[in-house]
Structures are given as C-alpha cells and as structure tokens.
Amino acid sequence: MPKVNMVELLKKAKEEKYAVPLINIDTLEWLHAVMDTAQRLQSPIIIGTAPFQVERLGGVHTVVGMIDGLVKDKGYTIPYVIHLDHGSSFEWCKKAIDAGFTSVMIDASSLPLEENIAVTKEVVYYAHAHNISVEAEIGHVGGDEANGSKEVLYADLNECVRMVKETGVDCLTPALGSVHGDYKGEPKLGFDEMQAISEATNVPLVLHGGSGIPDYQIRMCIERGTAKINVATENRRAFHNRLRDILAKDALLIDPLKTTWVAKEAIEEIVESKILLFGSNNKA
Ligand SMILES: [Zn+2]
C-alpha cells in the first residue's frame, strides 16, 4: 500500500492545511535519513530526484530499485511517492513512469506558454493512463538547481488557470519569488497572488526553494493552499558541515560508517524540523 502518487496525498494536505515535504536525495545515506525520519514521525513523504540526480545515482531503475528495496527491507509503512523533480522533457517523464516512479514534474516553464501547455498536456495524458500524478510550473523559480540559472519570473494568474484547465495537471508550481539555493536577504513571496491562484485553479500548490524561507512565511504559504514544499539546499549544507566536523576531528578516519553514515544525522535533524513545521507528522 505505501507507494502512492501525489493526488490523494496533496488533496488531503490542502484540506487539512499542512504540506507534504519533498526531499531531494543525493546518496543512499540521504534516503535512509529521510525515510527513517518520516517513518518515525508518521509523515507521508515525497522522495525527489531531478534528472541530474537520477543520472548521478545510475538511472531511473536504480532510483526506483533503491527506494522500493529500502522500503521492503526496512518495512516502512508510511505512504511514499517516487517523484521526478524538474523533468525536462516528455521523454524524461515517460522513462521515469515506465521504470516505476509514481509522480512526475514536467518543467517546461522556460518555454513560451503555448509550448509549456502542449508538452504538459502530453505528459498528463501518458501519466494519467498509468495512474501517475503530474506537477507543472508557471513562471520561473529562480536559482540554479536543475535547469541552469534562472531569473525569478512571477507566475501570471490567467496563465495558471489556463495551464490547469487545458492540461488537467494535478498540482501546480506558480513561481512567486522563491529560488533554488540560497536567498539574498529575506524572500519576498507573492502571498496575495498565491491565494488568488489557489482559489482560481483549485489544485494544490507547490513551493520550490523551501530552504531558507522563514517559518512564518512557510505557514503563510500553507494557509494559502500550498500542499507540497521542496527542500534540498538545507540538507546539503547540514550534511557537509557535519561531515567536515567529523573529518576535522580525526584525519585518519576511513570507515564510511564513521563518516558519511554519521553525517546523515544532520539530514535527519533538518527533515524532522521540516515535517514538524509543515505539520505533516501523524498524517501517514
Ligand atoms: Zn525546484
């Protein structure tokens, strides 16, 4: 039962005003840290890998095999989603779906609206025939995580409505000032726009660039229909800071069980704090 798509997960989250975390994973240690923590706190969880992470890990079958295998070996019972983050083409989404991902994001937001809608429609058609959920993006989330450096471009309400109506997409990322990576100063999110887009589209909204947004702004996003929040940068920083500390204390360490597998505790701490902040604990 636990492997699911995002549809029911996000519908429930939106209704009950909490958000399901998407945590990007970079290595197997990451996955252990995220799943152990979500299971302990009884939170549903979305495991995200963008194409560059999928390729680094080995490919779509490696990602699916690793996640499903760990769930089986450890006997996790929480609902989990295997999600392609920032799928860059129909081919990428199809490849992920065929391998056993349960959800995909088609990020064609750098294309003109008509083309973004056209490719999203194509992905939704294929995905829904396989009971897979789809996320699309309007406007540009800033920063440089997945698709090269992007300027922030705010989502337009009418474009969001068209995207949802014409494609039947399950959830939407309206770019409203969030960025991948680090923020320069306090983030300035378009909360009024978020509220309006949530009401007009009636689908759960997604917030990318969840690292570094102050807690009170996260709560405002959830209040305004955001039901999925992506986190990557904070885990990377916490993990590597912890790893540097461990190695600095003992330059002779060569056992991964004493280095990376200990540093993963820093990820567990971040993921726990996000689950509690987003309110997804005990929602499994
Ligand atoms: Zn993103």
Side-chain angles (χ1 to χ4, degrees), residues 155-168:
D156 173 84
L157 174 65
N158 295 324
E159 292 188 359
C160 290
V161 171
R162 274 196 61 193
M163 170 60 89
V164 171
K165 251 194 188 148
E166 294 178 26
T167 67

Side-chain angles (χ1 to χ4, degrees), residues 85-86 145 180 208 230:
D85 193 23
H86 292 282
E145 185 184 51
H180 296 121
H208 283 243
N230 291 18

Side-chain angles (χ1 to χ4, degrees), residues 66 251 273:
M66 187 170 85
S273 73

Side-chain angles (χ1 to χ4, degrees), residues 3 22 38 100 113 150 172 241 246 263:
K3 184 167 164 174
L22 175 147
L113 180 67
K150 278 184 180 176
L172 184 70
N241 284 344
I246 292 167

Side-chain angles (χ1 to χ4, degrees), residues 8-271:
E8 293 304 319
L9 225 55
L10 299 191
K11 198 189 279 178
K12 182 168 180 277
K14 187 175 179 177
E15 276 167 17
E16 297 182 17
K17 295 214 186 274
Y18 62 92
V20 182
L22 175 147
I23 310 291
N24 283 95
I25 58 156
D26 284 312
T27 70
L28 183 59
E29 290 92 325
W30 240 262
L31 181 63
H32 278 246
V34 176
M35 292 300 294
D36 280 346
T37 307
Q39 175 72 27
R40 182 164 53 79
L41 297 173
Q42 286 296 296
S43 169
I45 195 80
I46 303 164
I47 302 294
T49 47
F52 77 96
Q53 289 168 316
V54 173
E55 280 175 346
R56 185 191 294 159
L57 285 162
V60 286
H61 300 98
T62 310
V63 171
V64 172
M66 187 170 85
I67 298 172
D68 286 343
L70 191 67
V71 169
K72 208 170 181 182
D73 285 338
K74 289 231 186 178
Y76 297 124
T77 55
I78 50 167
Y80 70 99
V81 176
I82 306 182
H83 180 77
L84 180 69
D85 193 23
H86 292 282
S88 46
S89 64
F90 173 80
E91 288 69 28
W92 254 106
C93 293
K94 181 179 183 301
K95 189 163 73 170
I97 292 167
D98 292 348
F101 281 62
T102 58
S103 186
V104 294
M105 174 187 190
I106 173 68
D107 179 1
S109 62
S110 53
L111 299 175
L113 180 67
E114 301 299 330
E115 289 172 49
N116 187 357
I117 287 177
V119 66
T120 301
K121 209 169 169 176
E122 197 184 0
V123 170
V124 170
Y125 185 76
Y126 189 78
H128 283 183
H130 293 80
N131 195 28
I132 301 302
S133 52
V134 182
E135 171 187 343
E137 178 171 327
I138 290 281
H140 293 163
V141 175
D144 59 0
E145 185 184 51
N147 290 339
S149 196
K150 278 184 180 176
E151 290 299 311
V152 175
L153 180 66
Y154 275 67
D156 173 84
L157 174 65
N158 295 324
E159 292 188 359
C160 290
V161 171
R162 274 196 61 193
M163 170 60 89
V164 171
K165 251 194 188 148
E166 294 178 26
T167 67
V169 78
D170 302 293
C171 59
L172 184 70
T173 295
L176 292 169
S178 64
V179 301
H180 296 121
D182 293 315
Y183 288 85
K184 296 178 187 84
E186 178 141 318
K188 289 189 180 60
L189 302 182
F191 292 110
D192 293 343
E193 291 87 345
M194 194 180 287
Q195 178 92 45
I197 292 167
S198 173
E199 283 167 11
T201 62
N202 209 25
V203 293
L205 302 185
V206 179
L207 178 69
H208 283 243
S211 295
I213 295 178
D215 291 0
Y216 79 94
Q217 292 199 12
I218 292 287
R219 289 190 202 99
M220 289 173 75
C221 291
I222 295 171
E223 249 340 276
R224 287 160 180 76
T226 297
K228 166 178 176 269
I229 302 177
N230 291 18
V231 176
T233 303
E234 275 181 75
N235 285 320
R236 291 199 179 126
R237 179 170 302 113
F239 174 81
H240 286 96
N241 284 344
R242 187 69 56 90
L243 186 58
R244 273 186 283 271
D245 287 347
I246 292 167
L247 294 172
K249 279 187 194 126
D250 185 349
L252 299 178
L253 283 175
I254 57 162
D255 182 354
L257 270 181
K258 294 175 179 165
T259 57
T260 55
W261 287 87
V262 176
K264 81 174 170 58
E265 288 166 9
I267 299 169
E268 290 165 6
E269 290 159 19
I270 298 284
V271 173

